[in-house]
Amino acid sequence: MEKLGERALKEIEEATSLAALEEVRLKYLGKKGEVTGLLKTIGSLPKEERPAFGAKVNALREAIEGHLKEKTAFLERKALEERVKRETVDVTLPGNVPQVGSLHPLTKALREIVQIFYGMGFTVYESREAETDEMNFVKLNLAPGHPSRDAQETLYLTETTLLRTHTSPGQIRGMLDMKGKLPVRFIVPGRVYRRDQMDASHSPVFHQVEGLVIDRHITFEHLKGCFLEFARGFFGPETKIRLRPSYFPFTEPSAEIDVSCTICKGKGCPVCGRTGWLELSGAGMVHPNVIRNGGYDPDEVTGFAFGFGLDRAAMLKWGIDDLRVLFENDLRFLRQFEGI
Ligand code: DAH
């Protein structure tokens, strides 16, 4: 009986699961268990031996039951602890943030530009993308035969209508809409179209931002101050600008506006061809014919205008070296603008 007791306790000790423990219980205390078997033998013993034997077996059964209970409690506690550990929530882990997307860099750039010009009293004039030859060229002093009307560059819809090649016809439409009121002060952002093959710096569709100011006593100095304010606001407060003489049929005099290189801050680097300057915009004093075509009297008012590529401005601002990424919708590129 003693050996049986030792064996049972050892097996209880060694049981590592509740299922294994139940097997031990059945082996000793079940209906066909060994201890139960001993109790059944009582009847076959001489009468005087029965009480002592019975007491011994009962003590043995109680000892085994006691150990089983203890071990059961231990294994249950252990199982619970493991489960708690397994199911713990680490509240400090970052959550599953849903992808909400972000504005396209060109949209961001334009919104910034619009804000800067709002600050100087400009409004936004949205002109049409399908234009007449008259508005796109003639009213801007671009006489028939001018090279930029060439079929090489212009996407004609009919004999007399086309996809605008620049936002400058917005100058005429915007002025006509003002019906002679002063001051005229708006920007015209939007898509423009040219017959160009797509490469790192060309696209058949791109974006421009046109600007126009018409009022009494507007001078070249206003153009310079206005553009400097824009350049500093958009590229950073240290930005410088430089005006070089140029030619456009719709301005006189005309200028090309450069901004100090956004990469090397004007020191000279491969991006700016070591000059420290980046070409950004055409500009000039609005030609008297254009003022007249907009319904104003060039003897009474003067004005300045400028036009630059939005895509190019965004590329210079963020150091993007290939125009195509702005149109490909590659999320690996676009996600870099989240939160900017
Ligand atoms: N329209 C010109 C172009 O597409 C850019 C331009 C130059 C616009 C001078 C202007 C300007 O308003 O004054 O190349």
Side-chain angles (χ1 to χ4, degrees):
M1 219 184 277
E2 250 165 53
K3 281 214 180 108
L4 186 150
E6 276 169 25
R7 186 150 50 81
L9 296 194
K10 190 163 171 262
E11 283 173 32
I12 290 169
E13 191 82 12
E14 285 167 358
T16 54
S17 72
L18 288 167
L21 203 58
E22 175 62 9
E23 259 172 46
V24 177
R25 190 187 70 79
L26 287 173
K27 183 175 171 190
Y28 293 97
L29 306 179
K31 264 187 200 148
K32 289 177 188 161
E34 291 184 38
V35 176
T36 319
L38 281 176
L39 281 171
K40 281 178 189 159
T41 63
I42 287 182
S44 62
L45 291 175
K47 227 178 174 176
E48 60 284 3
E49 284 181 22
R50 286 182 195 168
F53 183 82
K56 261 189 164 175
V57 179
N58 272 328
L60 176 64
R61 196 191 66 204
E62 275 166 27
I64 292 173
E65 274 176 351
H67 278 87
L68 278 170
K69 216 172 147 190
E70 242 174 63
K71 186 70 189 250
T72 303
F74 170 78
L75 286 176
E76 278 174 352
R77 211 181 324 115
K78 206 172 118 190
L80 179 68
E81 271 167 22
E82 271 165 17
R83 198 175 142 203
V84 166
K85 213 188 240 169
R86 201 170 53 237
E87 295 179 2
T88 316
V89 174
D90 182 350
V91 294
T92 67
L93 279 176
N96 296 323
V97 183
Q99 278 283 343
V100 291
S102 63
L103 293 175
H104 191 277
L106 288 177
T107 306
K108 278 180 202 285
L110 181 57
R111 287 191 180 185
E112 276 188 37
I113 291 166
V114 166
Q115 284 305 316
I116 296 165
F117 282 102
Y118 276 170
M120 291 188 276
F122 283 70
T123 56
V124 172
Y125 183 81
E126 289 199 278
S127 195
R128 60 184 69 184
E129 290 175 28
E131 256 308 354
T132 59
D133 179 287
E134 181 79 8
M135 285 286 177
N136 195 79
F137 296 124
V138 182
K139 292 257 195 280
L140 291 165
N141 252 358
L142 283 141
H146 194 279
S148 57
R149 313 161 65 106
D150 200 302
Q152 292 293 313
E153 289 184 29
T154 306
L155 290 156
Y156 280 92
L157 299 171
T158 66
E159 285 278 305
T160 54
T161 56
L162 46 84
L163 292 173
R164 66 178 176 195
T165 59
H166 52 177
T167 44
S168 301
Q171 289 188 30
I172 306 290
R173 292 195 180 275
M175 272 191 279
L176 291 173
D177 276 6
M178 291 286 294
K179 297 187 185 348
K181 271 186 276 148
L182 291 173
V184 173
R185 206 187 284 143
F186 59 75
I187 55 172
V188 189
R191 288 190 197 92
V192 298
Y193 302 83
R194 289 187 197 173
R195 273 187 58 171
D196 275 330
Q197 291 288 325
M198 192 105 188
D199 65 26
S201 56
H202 293 85
S203 164
V205 51
F206 58 104
H207 304 82
Q208 286 188 337
V209 179
E210 191 86 13
L212 178 71
V213 171
I214 304 277
D215 205 350
R216 294 192 180 84
H217 315 301
I218 295 292
T219 71
F220 215 94
E221 199 62 19
H222 292 119
L223 164 61
K224 212 177 159 185
C226 175
F227 207 91
L228 181 61
E229 177 77 8
F230 153 66
R232 284 179 176 164
F234 188 67
F235 295 110
E238 291 95 51
T239 310
K240 294 186 184 69
I241 63 166
R242 159 176 101 166
L243 280 75
R244 287 178 290 111
S246 186
Y247 171 77
F248 297 101
F250 32 90
T251 44
E252 180 60 37
S254 302
E256 202 76 54
I257 305 181
D258 299 341
V259 295
S260 52
C261 181
T262 49
I263 307 297
C264 65
K265 311 284 173 216
K267 286 191 200 78
C269 72
V271 173
C272 58
R274 312 203 183 280
T275 61
W277 296 98
L278 297 162
E279 216 175 289
L280 181 64
S281 184
M285 298 307 289
V286 184
H287 194 285
N289 290 348
V290 174
I291 293 182
R292 203 173 292 118
N293 291 338
Y296 288 83
D297 180 357
D299 288 332
E300 217 176 283
V301 296
T302 52
F304 68 80
F306 57 84
F308 62 87
L310 173 65
D311 320 77
R312 181 166 164 80
M315 287 167 76
L316 296 178
K317 181 180 174 77
W318 288 304
I320 300 164
D321 60 8
D322 192 321
L323 175 70
R324 285 168 290 198
V325 296
L326 292 171
F327 300 104
E328 281 168 351
N329 290 332
D330 186 331
L331 291 178
R332 289 170 302 177
F333 168 71
L334 296 176
R335 286 208 175 116
Q336 296 176 51
F337 293 87
E338 281 174 12
I340 287 180

